[in-house]
Amino acid sequence: MVDVRINDTGPYHFVVDTGADRTILASEVALELGLSHGEKVMLKGVVRGVLSETVSIRTMRFGSITKRHLMVPTLSRSLLDADGYLGLDFLDGHRVTFDFQNHLLQVSEPRTRFSANWLGENEARIAASGSSGHLKALDCMVDGISATAFIDSGAEVSAANEPLLAALARRNPSFGGEMGSIHLIDVTGGEILGKVAMVKKIRLTAALTFTDCPLVIADFLVFDLWGLRQRPALLIGMNLLRQFARVSIDYGLQELRFDLAAYRSPPRPLITRVD
């Protein structure tokens, strides 16, 4: 959770979601602040889309970052389990760092081209491409299958689409395939039954490989929103990200960085620091 002030009121507690296109506000907060309503919009989650009321926000402030004159869709707090979600419309153009080792979430200006040439001793850097915050790592390999990967900090588990599962089965007839199933609910209340498959290796770069990774396979709407319905693709969720001391997503420079230093710590809530 991070602290957000709305129209100089708050703070309210928001989830940072790098897989969501739009910032969302709890309808209870909108009612509490007496925000005026706008047109309804289709709000699309990982599983489904729902028609949502929008409200007008004069200012939304997170640390030193301020957005003005926003029309934000709303959902019930019972669905969000928070006062809201910060999406890519808020985060794009900045650098977001999840510092798991120090229990911090940092949002800052993007690196300059010059400073980007410096790489820490334990860092792996991955070039990404995309627009409107849709940063995708294009050189990912999953058990020898070329795939596109993106980071979704709002997802508790990592997931893949059906084309990736089919490609894995074609490449290796002995591929184990399904290990079971899992029932998933997205932020809109949409529900889906996903198949769980185990892959041996997910390689994002020569210096960065995940091993023995469970993936949830389903017809997720989020892959359509990222233009990845037809080709093998996966989203990297928090179950894999927490293996690192630090993960940063630089939307300005269009790169991902992973701190490969060994990290072992009992889970604690994230606190916020903004530069």
Side-chain angles (χ1 to χ4, degrees), residues 141-144 168 172 174-176 179 197-203 209-215 240:
M141 298 293 290
V142 181
D143 285 353
L168 289 169
N172 181 8
S174 64
F175 175 65
M179 295 178 56
M198 182 70 73
V199 297
K200 294 179 180 178
K201 289 184 179 181
I202 299 174
R203 184 181 66 82
T209 300
F210 300 99
T211 58
D212 299 325
C213 303
L215 294 175
L240 294 182

Side-chain angles (χ1 to χ4, degrees), residues 11 23 27 32 52 54 68 70 77 87 96 103 120 123 141 144 146 158 168 238 246 250 255-256 259 261 266:
T23 294
S27 52
E32 175 186 322
S52 169
T54 62
R68 303 181 186 279
L70 301 173
R77 187 187 271 122
V96 180
H103 313 290
E123 275 190 328
M141 298 293 290
S146 177
S158 299
L168 289 169
M238 279 298 195
R246 185 167 49 252
D250 195 321
E255 69 166 26
L256 313 174
D259 188 334

Side-chain angles (χ1 to χ4, degrees), residues 47-109:
V47 175
R48 69 169 185 176
V50 294
L51 204 59
S52 169
E53 296 273 2
T54 62
V55 292
S56 176
I57 295 177
R58 186 176 68 256
T59 60
M60 181 177 285
R61 180 173 293 111
F62 171 37
S64 61
I65 300 170
T66 300
K67 298 288 185 179
R68 303 181 186 279
H69 308 301
L70 301 173
M71 293 300 298
V72 177
T74 60
L75 285 175
S76 168
R77 187 187 271 122
S78 63
L79 292 174
L80 298 174
D81 199 25
D83 294 326
Y85 274 50
L86 286 182
L88 293 173
D89 54 347
F90 199 99
L91 302 172
D92 192 24
H94 298 91
R95 177 161 53 105
V96 180
T97 301
F98 299 92
D99 188 339
F100 296 107
Q101 190 167 32
N102 296 304
H103 313 290
L104 298 172
L105 175 61
Q106 183 177 11
V107 178
S108 56
E109 293 302 313

